[in-house]
Amino acid sequence: MDDGLDDLIHLADPPGTSDHVVALRVLERPAPGGEFLDCEFVVSTSTVTGSFPVGITSFDLDRWDEALDGLAGNRFVSWLDSGRTVQLKIKPLASGAVGVTISDALSSQVTVSLPVSPPADWIDDHRARLAKARELLSD
């Protein structure tokens, strides 16, 4: 991404497999004093591609931090479940993969669920992504 922006979430299968990807892309830096990151969830498979716009607040980032703790403990998590926007659910699977569900019940009423096999260190990678997102909101 331009200007050092990075995906807050990037879950992807290894190259040469099913090529499933779920990402939460940071689209632009917030305006000075801005209270949210302009983002979009992107879901991509060989047969489906979709995106869902979402604004992420510092409160949301705190909840994502808690969700990462849950995932590190191999627990199911639900994030952005306030009912104001798209919801993300992640369920650890026995195979080391995760089941990911993006639900836009409020607007389009579309729900997409897919398995993704991220690398073993994906939670640590996402903690680093979270730190970058927090820096963007604090600038």
Side-chain angles (χ1 to χ4, degrees):
M1 291 219 170
D2 295 338
D3 300 325
L5 298 178
D6 204 355
D7 293 349
L8 172 58
I9 297 172
H10 190 89
L11 299 170
D13 285 332
T17 60
S18 65
D19 295 328
H20 291 173
V21 177
V22 174
L24 180 58
R25 297 206 167 119
V26 178
L27 299 176
E28 61 184 277
R29 293 180 180 279
E35 296 180 11
F36 69 92
L37 292 173
D38 184 23
C39 300
E40 73 176 343
F41 273 107
V42 177
V43 178
S44 176
T45 73
S46 60
T47 57
V48 174
T49 300
S51 64
F52 307 92
V54 63
I56 301 296
T57 66
S58 59
F59 176 81
D60 296 328
L61 295 178
D62 291 344
R63 299 299 75 77
W64 179 236
D65 192 15
E66 293 170 5
L68 288 171
D69 289 343
L71 290 163
N74 206 37
R75 292 186 303 275
F76 167 86
V77 299
S78 181
W79 183 56
L80 299 176
D81 52 4
S82 68
R84 69 171 171 81
T85 189
V86 175
Q87 182 179 30
L88 171 71
K89 296 178 183 178
I90 302 176
K91 178 182 179 182
L93 304 174
S95 63
V98 291
V100 180
T101 300
I102 304 283
S103 180
D104 184 26
L106 221 91
S107 179
S108 68
Q109 300 182 354
V110 170
T111 298
V112 179
S113 296
L114 62 153
V116 181
S117 297
D121 67 343
W122 75 271
I123 293 175
D124 290 336
D125 173 58
H126 281 76
R127 289 190 193 283
R129 292 171 183 276
L130 173 61
K132 286 182 184 180
R134 285 187 176 179
E135 286 176 23
L136 286 174
L137 271 179
S138 67
D139 287 347

